[in-house]
């Protein structure tokens, strides 16, 4: 068993053969007691002898069952270590974390129940390890539970923020159950074999992960799923940086097998694994992985020599990897990246060269955008002022980010993104589980390091150096990066292994022991506790299954709706029927199974709004006495009710409040239903309360006020938007239009002159700028703008219409006539009513009259084509995209 991985398909009896010495020892003890009692008390009746034989048979059966359950626990551990990195399914919206976290909870829950059954019902002896780290783990999970109970978003804390899932209470409970079960089941005589098998299985699983990633890196896309059609596809996470983080501890263990394995298979496999991993790390080019890997390898190289330990480490292999890490780290500096003006530790010149021919986004190794650590520290400081003790709750970092992000963040290129993770796992823990929960987590880290030092000094286990180096690499990655479900699991698994190593070497054994055979009361109390825990866990499994099926149905419905709405050949009546089927399916298969996910309600709201738009178009085509307004109102009410349900579930979600407000705006502007403006304002004000430094929210609220002609309130909101973000072109234009409404034309012109060249003016914005100049009687500047717009998009009838008006004002009647005729030709439906036709006729009359007065006199033009708009001394043509 020491040299070969236990085959999970073997019968439990085969695994028992290795445990028979213990069984025989216990059987001999029972026999001895029976013989001695018979020798001393030879006057006892045969009935007493039969009772003793029955007791012996009962004890033998219980020992067998106990050993079988222990073997079953081991195999569940092996299954989890092997399957978790590999386990993804295309059934749900998110194929990585959702599937892995569900698998983790299911197997860890089963392990925990089996351990309790073995201890309470079979062994009838409660024996729980007791040391400093166990106490810290217990305190940690209690504090995480308390933080979840007082969370600002209980749904996200309990079952995970939708899309990430790895920071939920469910995941933390899974890890703690695995830890306590492992510490208490794998005693001294079993721990070494258990650890060796765990390490081998981890290596095999990692090898498969790397193999799939390498095959995809070279363009062989053999998995037919839509999510697996990218070069950077891997089994660990949706970004290549996720794979880069996972490879660090994997390479360390490959070095262990390269140095210490007696099996040639593992030696050659580890060598191949290291080469492939280095290739992947070069392609992924995630600098943090290189730096942490190099640091931990230096530790492996130096520490054994410093403490005079006999652990063999291949100096050549380690030095080669350290050298490669150094080369990639140096090449990330800006002076080696000609296209980079800043030092960037996330990419290198080598990676740029390797990927320079990758024009397709599917051929680029994408790294996850994470929040910078400076902003993370600012948010941490403010969030601790708000909720110091327990934090906002696990999985609620988006709440902290939205509420406390600094104004300076709006100057970055990611200002429009809402981050649901901090730039560091440790910083996020401070914000979400508070100072108490994080302090208890630090206690776990401190005690683990102290135990590791004791084992390192004794130096009896060759594999321990590699276990500790892997554990320490994951700790460093927590400090500088974010955790995934897989890396979180590995960190706690290595913590368990470190504790097992320490317990094996420690002469002092601390246990809480209660013999349930001696106390019927204690036995019944623990049996009730077992029943209660089992009911809770099995109920959780039931809901977990329902939630999983709900999300799988949700994905299918979304795919179906996208196909419906993308088919332009379908008429509204057919689309209506299909959407009606989707709505019924959503309510029946998704919402009824999982009524706690607000995301499902948001989607339903969008479906109802789409149906409302279809009903609006169809009713508008009917005669006035045939219009059914209630049909439109019913759909909008359904949309609003679903939004209300979502916000009731998570009232502190800025996403839900923002969506609620924008839906009210759509109902008012697109469907023409009155009396929703006030409600839209209420929702936007709530969203601004949750995210005060988001300029987008102030801008949209200002637009609502502008539509209602509340110009002073609109002006105030637009100014607030510009206070938190300068160079916001849409806000500058909106504010300029408000000034024009109020008759303050010079202020309007001054406002658009503030627009920076680098803000990216598109055709729509350029048109608005031209109109502001036109309405402010800055005719030449307006003319310059629209002439450039004509060059950019000649077929835009609106541009030709305004140009015709400008030429008409300047007395260039023939040119104006030409522009109006072009506008009419590009839009024969004549959206301006009779205005264009009348103006064309008037211009023709003016030109005819002018020609009659002086038939021989040519029309003299001054040749002035209009003044170009000056945006920081640059023409607008440099801005139009």
């Amino acid at each position: 068993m020491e040299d070969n991985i236990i085959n999970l398909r073997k019968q439990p009896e085969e695994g028992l053969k290795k445990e028979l010495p213990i069984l025989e020892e216990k059987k001999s003890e029972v026999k001895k007691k029976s013989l001695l009692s018979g020798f001393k008390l030879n006057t006892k009746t045969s009935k007493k002898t039969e009772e003793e034989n029955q007791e012996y048979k009962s004890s033998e059966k219980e020992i067998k069952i106990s050993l079988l359950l222990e073997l079953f626990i081991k195999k569940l551990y092996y299954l989890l270590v092997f399957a978790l990195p590999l386990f993804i399914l295309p059934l749900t919206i998110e194929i990585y974390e959702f599937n892995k976290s569900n698998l983790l909870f299911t197997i860890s829950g089963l392990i925990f129940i089996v351990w309790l059954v073995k201890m309470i019902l079979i062994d009838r002896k409660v024996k729980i390890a007791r040391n400093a780290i166990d106490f810290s783990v217990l305190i940690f999970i209690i504090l995480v539970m308390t933080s979840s109970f007082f969370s600002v978003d209980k749904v996200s804390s309990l079952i995970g923020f939708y899309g990430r899932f790895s920071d939920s209470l469910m995941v933390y409970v899974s890890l703690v159950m695995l830890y306590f079960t492992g510490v208490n089941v794998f005693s001294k005589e079993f721990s070494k074999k258990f650890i060796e098998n765990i390490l081998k299985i981890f290596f095999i699983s990692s090898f498969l992960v790397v193999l799939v990633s390498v095959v995809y890196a070279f363009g062989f896309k053999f998995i037919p799923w839509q999510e697996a059609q990218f070069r950077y596809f891997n089994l660990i996470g949706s970004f290549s940086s996720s794979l880069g983080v996972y490879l660090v501890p994997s390479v360390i263990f490959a070095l262990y097998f390269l140095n210490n394995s007696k099996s040639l298979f593992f030696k050659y496999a580890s060598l191949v694994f290291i080469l492939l991993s280095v290739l992947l790390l070069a392609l992924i080019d995630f600098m943090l992985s290189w730096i942490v890997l190099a640091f931990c390898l230096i530790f492996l190289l130096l520490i054994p020599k410093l403490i005079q330990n006999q652990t063999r480490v291949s100096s050549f292999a380690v030095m080669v990897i350290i050298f490669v890490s150094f080369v990639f780290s140096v090449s990330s500096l800006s002076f080696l990246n000609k296209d980079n003006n800043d030092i960037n530790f996330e990419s290198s010149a080598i990676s740029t060269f390797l990927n320079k021919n990758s024009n397709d986004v599917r051929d680029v190794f994408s790294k996850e955008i994470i929040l910078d650590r400076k902003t993370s520290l600012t948010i941490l400081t403010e969030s601790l002022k708000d909720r110091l003790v327990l934090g906002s709750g696990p999985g609620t970092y988006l709440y902290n980010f939205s509420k406390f992000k600094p104004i300076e963040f709006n100057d970055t290129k990611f200002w429009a993104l809402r981050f649901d993770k901090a730039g560091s796992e440790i910083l996020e823990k401070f914000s979400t589980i508070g100072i108490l929960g994080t302090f208890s987590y630090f206690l776990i880290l401190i005690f683990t390091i102290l135990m590791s030092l004791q084992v390192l000094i004794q130096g009896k286990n060759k594999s321990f150096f590699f276990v500790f180096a892997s554990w320490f690499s994951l700790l460093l990655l927590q400090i500088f990066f974010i955790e995934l479900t897989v890396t979180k699991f590995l960190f706690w698994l290595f913590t368990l292994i470190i504790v097992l190593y320490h317990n094996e070497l420690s002469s002092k054994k601390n246990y809480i022991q209660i013999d349930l055979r001696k106390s019927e009361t204690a036995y019944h109390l623990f049996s009730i506790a077992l029943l209660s825990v089992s009911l809770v866990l099995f109920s959780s499994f039931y809901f977990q299954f329902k939630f999983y099926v709900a999300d799988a149905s949700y994905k299918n419905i979304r795919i179906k709706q996208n196909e419906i709405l993308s088919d332009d050949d379908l008429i509204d009546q057919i689309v209506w029927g299909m959407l009606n089927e989707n709505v019924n399916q959503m309510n029946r298969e998704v919402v009824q199974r999982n009524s706690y996910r607000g995301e499902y309600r948001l989607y339903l709201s969008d479906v109802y709004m789409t149906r409302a738009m279809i009903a609006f178009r169809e009713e508008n085509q009917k005669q006035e006495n045939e219009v059914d307004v209630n049909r439109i109102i019913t759909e909008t009410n359904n949309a609003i009710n679903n939004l209300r349900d979502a916000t009731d579930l998570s009232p502190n979600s800025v996403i839900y409040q923002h969506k609620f407000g924008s839906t009210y705006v759509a109902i008012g502007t697109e469907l023409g239903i009155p009396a929703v403006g006030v409600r839209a304002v209420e929702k936007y004000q709530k969203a601004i309360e949750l995210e005060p430094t988001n300029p987008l929210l102030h801008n949209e609220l200002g637009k609502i006020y502008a539509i209602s002609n509340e110009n002073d309130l609109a002006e105030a909101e637009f100014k607030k938007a510009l206070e938190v973000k300068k160079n916001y072109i849409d806000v500058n234009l909106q504010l300029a239009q408000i000034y024009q409404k109020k008759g303050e034309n010079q202020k309007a012109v001054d406002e658009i002159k503030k627009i920076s060249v680098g803000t990216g003016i598109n055709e729509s914005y350029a048109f608005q700028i031209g109109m502001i100049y036109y309405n402010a009687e800055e005719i030449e500047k307006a003319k310059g703008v629209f002439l450039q717009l004509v060059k950019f998009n000649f077929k835009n009838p609106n541009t030709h219409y305004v140009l015709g008006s400008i030429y008409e004002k300047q007395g260039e009647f023939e040119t104006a006539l030409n522009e109006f005729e072009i506008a009419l030709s590009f839009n024969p439906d004549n959206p301006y009513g009779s205005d264009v036709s009348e103006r064309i006729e008037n211009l023709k009359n003016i030109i005819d009259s002018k020609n009659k007065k002086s038939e021989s006199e040519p029309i003299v033009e001054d040749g002035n084509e209009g003044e170009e708009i000056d945006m920081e001394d640059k023409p607008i043509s440099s801005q139009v995209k």
Side-chain angles (χ1 to χ4, degrees):
M1 184 184 289
E2 290 89 344
D3 297 326
N4 299 294
I5 300 171
I6 294 178
N7 189 337
L8 298 181
R9 293 183 178 179
K10 288 182 180 179
Q11 295 299 321
E13 288 76 6
E14 294 182 26
L16 270 173
K17 291 178 181 178
K18 303 297 184 180
E19 321 297 345
L20 283 178
I22 299 167
L23 176 61
E24 294 299 330
E25 183 181 347
K26 293 184 177 181
K27 286 167 64 178
S28 64
E29 289 178 2
V30 175
K31 286 181 178 179
K32 286 178 182 178
K33 290 179 181 178
S34 179
L35 289 172
L36 286 171
S37 62
F39 176 76
K40 291 179 181 179
L41 303 173
N42 51 17
T43 58
K44 290 192 173 183
T45 62
S46 59
K47 183 177 180 182
K48 182 66 177 178
T49 305
E50 290 176 5
E51 289 177 356
E52 288 173 348
N53 290 335
Q54 189 65 32
E55 182 182 350
Y56 162 70
K57 290 179 181 179
S58 177
S59 299
E60 185 180 20
K61 184 178 180 181
E62 288 175 355
I63 293 170
K64 261 190 174 181
I65 295 174
S66 178
L67 290 173
L68 279 170
L69 292 178
E70 188 170 301
L71 186 62
F72 183 62
I73 291 173
K74 282 186 179 182
K75 295 203 173 187
L76 285 176
Y77 266 96
Y78 298 151
L79 175 63
L80 186 58
V81 172
F82 178 78
L84 193 64
L86 305 173
F87 188 68
I88 60 172
L89 288 174
L91 303 177
T92 54
I93 292 290
E94 200 279 331
I95 68 172
Y96 293 97
E97 299 296 284
F98 188 65
N99 288 282
K100 293 179 189 297
S101 61
N102 276 277
L103 179 69
L104 175 64
F105 181 71
T106 301
I107 296 182
S108 62
L110 287 174
I111 288 173
F112 194 69
I113 291 172
V114 173
W115 171 54
L116 293 179
V117 169
K118 173 185 177 298
M119 182 174 59
I120 296 171
L121 299 183
I122 307 302
D123 296 341
R124 294 201 179 186
K125 183 181 290 185
V126 175
K127 188 177 180 181
I128 300 175
R130 182 182 64 184
N131 56 45
I133 191 171
D134 296 337
F135 181 74
S136 301
V137 170
L138 183 61
I139 294 297
F140 172 72
I141 195 61
I142 290 173
L143 289 170
V144 172
M145 288 179 174
T146 307
S147 177
S148 301
F149 182 79
F150 293 101
S151 172
V152 298
D153 186 348
K154 291 180 175 58
V155 174
S156 294
S157 292
L158 181 62
I159 56 178
F161 182 82
Y162 195 77
R164 298 214 71 105
F165 307 104
S166 60
D167 294 313
S168 65
L169 176 63
M170 183 180 79
V171 169
Y172 280 118
V173 168
S174 304
L175 297 171
V176 170
M177 286 192 298
L178 284 173
Y179 172 81
F180 275 118
T181 306
V183 166
N184 288 283
V185 169
F186 305 116
S187 56
K188 180 178 178 180
E189 54 266 33
F190 297 115
S191 62
K192 186 176 180 180
K193 291 183 287 186
F194 168 73
I195 292 169
E196 287 295 323
N197 286 324
I198 285 288
L199 299 184
K200 288 178 181 179
I201 292 171
F202 169 63
F203 174 75
I204 292 173
S205 181
S206 299
F207 195 96
L208 293 175
V209 167
V210 167
L211 198 60
V212 171
S213 300
V214 169
V215 169
Y216 263 83
F218 285 95
F220 299 100
K221 306 177 180 70
F222 63 91
I223 300 177
W225 310 340
Q226 182 180 356
E227 296 87 351
Q229 301 309 307
F230 305 95
R231 185 184 174 199
Y232 59 81
F233 171 78
N234 64 86
L235 299 171
I236 301 300
S238 53
F239 294 93
S240 56
S241 52
S242 305
L243 177 62
V245 169
Y246 177 80
L247 286 176
V248 175
S250 304
V251 169
I252 293 172
F253 270 108
L255 285 168
Y256 164 69
F257 287 111
L258 182 65
N259 284 274
N260 299 288
S261 178
K262 296 177 182 178
S263 167
L264 287 177
F265 168 78
F266 275 99
K267 278 185 175 293
Y268 286 116
S270 60
L271 181 60
V272 173
F273 178 86
I274 291 170
L275 293 174
L276 294 178
S277 297
V278 169
L279 173 63
L280 281 175
L281 286 170
L283 290 171
I284 294 168
D285 192 26
F286 186 51
M287 283 301 99
L288 185 60
S289 296
W290 286 116
I291 294 169
V292 172
L293 179 60
F295 184 85
C296 293
L297 291 181
I298 292 171
F299 165 85
L300 276 176
L301 202 62
L302 298 180
I303 296 299
K305 296 179 180 179
L306 291 176
I307 64 175
Q308 297 181 348
N309 184 270
Q310 299 301 315
T311 299
R312 292 189 302 113
V313 180
S314 174
S315 300
F316 176 75
V318 172
M319 290 302 295
V320 168
I321 300 175
I322 292 174
F323 174 75
V324 174
S325 302
F326 175 77
V327 170
F328 271 85
S329 300
V330 170
S331 72
S332 71
L333 299 178
S334 60
F335 63 85
L336 290 177
N337 281 294
K338 295 180 180 179
D339 298 329
N340 230 341
N341 295 322
D342 300 321
I343 294 177
N344 176 13
F345 290 102
E346 306 300 334
S347 60
S348 71
I350 297 174
S351 175
T352 304
F353 173 77
L354 291 173
N355 293 293
K356 66 180 181 180
N357 296 322
S358 301
N359 297 320
D360 192 338
V361 69
R362 294 175 297 177
D363 292 332
V364 177
F365 285 85
S366 62
K367 290 182 280 293
E368 186 169 7
I369 299 171
I370 63 170
L371 187 63
D372 63 279
R373 277 170 280 281
K374 181 181 177 182
T375 303
S376 299
L377 283 169
T378 303
I379 292 170
L380 169 62
T381 303
E382 296 301 318
S383 62
L384 288 179
K385 291 178 184 178
D386 184 53
R387 299 172 72 94
L388 174 66
V389 179
L390 294 173
S392 57
T396 61
Y397 188 78
L398 179 64
Y399 168 84
N400 292 317
F401 171 80
S402 300
K403 192 170 184 179
F404 303 115
K405 67 178 178 181
I407 292 175
E408 294 77 19
F409 180 77
N410 291 322
D411 296 328
T412 68
K413 60 183 178 180
F414 302 120
W415 70 271
L417 297 180
R418 289 186 174 117
F419 285 83
D420 52 23
K421 293 284 289 185
S424 157
E425 186 70 25
I426 296 296
L427 295 180
E428 179 171 333
K429 279 184 167 60
F430 270 113
S431 296
T432 55
I433 63 176
I435 196 165
L436 285 182
T438 309
F439 180 70
S440 65
Y441 187 72
F442 281 166
L443 285 179
I444 297 172
L445 303 181
I446 292 169
F447 287 128
T448 305
I449 292 172
L450 292 176
M451 287 183 174
S452 300
L453 291 175
Q454 293 178 27
V455 181
L456 285 171
I457 291 171
Q458 295 191 32
K460 294 183 179 179
N461 294 290
K462 295 179 180 180
S463 62
F464 184 78
F465 281 88
F466 297 89
V467 171
F468 180 72
S470 299
W471 180 88
F472 193 65
S473 71
L474 292 169
L475 175 59
L476 292 176
L477 290 166
Q478 286 184 55
I479 296 172
F480 298 105
F481 195 60
I482 57 179
E483 274 190 316
L484 307 166
T485 300
V486 173
T487 56
K488 198 185 293 284
F489 164 72
L490 289 177
F491 183 77
W492 282 80
L493 178 67
F494 293 149
T495 302
L496 167 63
I497 293 174
I498 289 171
V499 174
L500 290 176
Y501 270 119
H502 177 268
N503 290 347
E504 188 175 12
L505 296 176
S506 176
S507 59
K508 185 180 180 181
K509 306 297 181 183
N510 291 323
Y511 294 98
I512 298 174
Q513 298 189 58
I514 302 174
D515 192 345
L516 302 181
R517 297 180 188 274
K518 295 180 180 180
S519 173
E520 286 294 323
T521 303
Y523 174 72
H524 290 306
L525 288 175
F526 275 96
S527 298
I528 292 171
L530 168 63
L531 180 62
S532 301
V533 171
S534 300
L535 284 174
V536 170
L537 286 175
F538 280 114
S539 297
S540 300
F541 294 156
Y542 169 72
F543 284 108
Q544 178 192 20
F545 177 75
K546 283 184 62 178
F547 294 171
Y548 193 93
V549 173
D551 205 71
S553 299
Y554 176 52
K555 181 177 183 178
N556 289 332
I557 292 169
R558 285 188 58 166
I559 292 172
K560 190 189 301 182
Q561 177 162 329
N562 290 337
E563 292 173 352
I564 294 171
L565 297 180
S566 61
D567 190 346
D568 296 330
D569 296 331
L570 295 177
I571 61 174
D572 281 348
Q573 287 182 343
I574 296 176
V575 173
W576 174 276
M578 291 181 172
L579 290 180
N580 186 58
E581 182 182 343
N582 273 13
V583 166
N584 294 333
Q585 192 176 356
M586 270 294 295
N587 283 307
R588 182 178 64 254
E589 298 181 8
V590 180
V591 175
Q592 285 186 8
R593 287 174 177 159
N594 187 356
S595 58
Y596 303 103
R597 281 292 184 196
E599 287 76 14
Y600 300 156
R601 306 282 187 175
L602 295 189
Y603 178 76
L604 259 179
S605 175
D606 285 338
V607 177
Y608 281 121
M609 280 299 296
T610 303
R611 284 158 54 94
M613 293 297 299
I614 293 174
F616 180 77
R617 289 195 298 268
E618 289 181 348
E619 297 304 320
N620 271 349
Q621 295 173 1
K622 296 179 180 178
Q623 298 293 329
E624 186 175 351
N625 59 344
E626 298 176 350
V627 173
D628 184 5
V629 179
N630 290 330
R631 185 182 171 203
I632 303 170
I633 293 175
T634 299
E635 299 302 320
T636 55
N637 283 339
N638 287 332
I640 291 170
N641 289 336
N642 276 280
L643 285 168
R644 186 176 292 111
D645 290 339
T647 52
D648 287 344
L649 288 168
S650 301
N652 292 312
S653 170
V654 66
I655 296 175
Y656 295 174
Q657 298 292 346
H658 186 184
K659 179 67 176 179
F660 213 156
S662 61
T663 301
Y664 272 130
V665 171
I667 290 171
T669 57
E670 297 180 27
L671 300 179
I673 298 177
V676 294
V678 175
R679 295 175 184 175
V681 168
E682 290 174 358
K683 295 304 175 183
Y684 271 103
Q685 287 175 340
K686 177 61 177 177
I688 289 171
E689 181 183 331
L690 294 168
E691 194 172 19
T693 57
N694 187 343
L696 178 66
L697 297 177
H698 290 289
N699 184 29
E700 292 185 4
L701 180 56
K703 289 178 180 179
I704 296 172
Y705 286 133
I707 292 171
S708 304
N709 290 320
E710 299 180 76
N711 296 327
D712 290 338
L713 292 174
E715 180 183 348
E717 289 300 325
F718 291 138
K719 285 182 176 179
K720 288 177 183 177
L722 292 174
E723 285 175 7
V724 296
K725 179 175 174 58
K726 298 177 182 179
N727 303 325
Y728 193 170
I729 182 171
D730 191 49
V731 178
N732 291 116
L733 290 172
Q734 294 295 334
L735 187 55
Q737 290 171 354
I738 289 296
Y739 285 140
Q740 283 198 334
K741 274 187 175 183
K742 297 171 71 173
E744 300 172 350
N745 288 327
Q746 188 55 49
K747 279 188 176 182
V749 172
D750 292 342
E751 192 61 39
I752 62 172
K753 287 182 178 179
K754 295 178 184 178
I755 297 173
S756 171
V757 175
T759 53
I761 301 175
N762 57 28
E763 182 181 1
S764 173
Y765 289 155
F767 188 92
Q768 292 179 56
I769 289 173
M771 289 303 301
I772 289 169
Y773 278 132
Y774 179 83
N775 294 328
E777 299 297 328
E778 298 271 357
I779 300 300
E780 285 302 319
K781 288 188 176 180
K783 184 178 179 180
V785 173
F786 286 107
L787 283 173
Q788 291 172 79
L789 279 173
V790 166
K791 294 177 183 178
F792 176 76
N793 182 6
F794 186 78
K795 295 183 178 181
N796 189 335
N798 296 327
T799 304
H800 289 287
Y801 178 79
V802 179
L803 262 178
S805 301
I806 290 172
Y807 284 124
E808 187 177 13
K809 274 193 172 187
Q810 292 181 328
E812 301 179 43
F813 301 119
E814 290 185 357
T815 309
L817 175 63
N818 183 52
E819 293 295 335
F820 284 132
E821 287 177 340
I822 292 172
L824 192 60
S825 68
F826 285 133
N827 197 340
D829 293 336
N830 194 2
Y832 312 103
S834 60
D835 182 62
V836 177
S837 301
E838 290 178 1
R839 295 181 75 170
I840 287 174
E841 290 300 319
N842 289 338
L843 284 172
K844 285 181 178 179
N845 293 333
I846 291 172
I847 291 169
D848 289 341
S849 176
K850 194 174 180 180
N851 288 336
K852 286 179 182 178
K853 288 182 180 179
S854 52
E855 291 182 359
S856 61
E857 184 178 354
I859 299 175
V860 180
E861 297 183 357
D862 59 7
N864 186 358
E865 291 299 321
E867 182 180 348
E868 288 187 343
I869 180 173
D870 185 9
M871 305 294 291
E872 292 190 1
D873 300 326
K874 290 187 180 181
I876 197 170
S877 58
S878 66
Q879 300 300 308
V880 177
K881 295 184 179 179

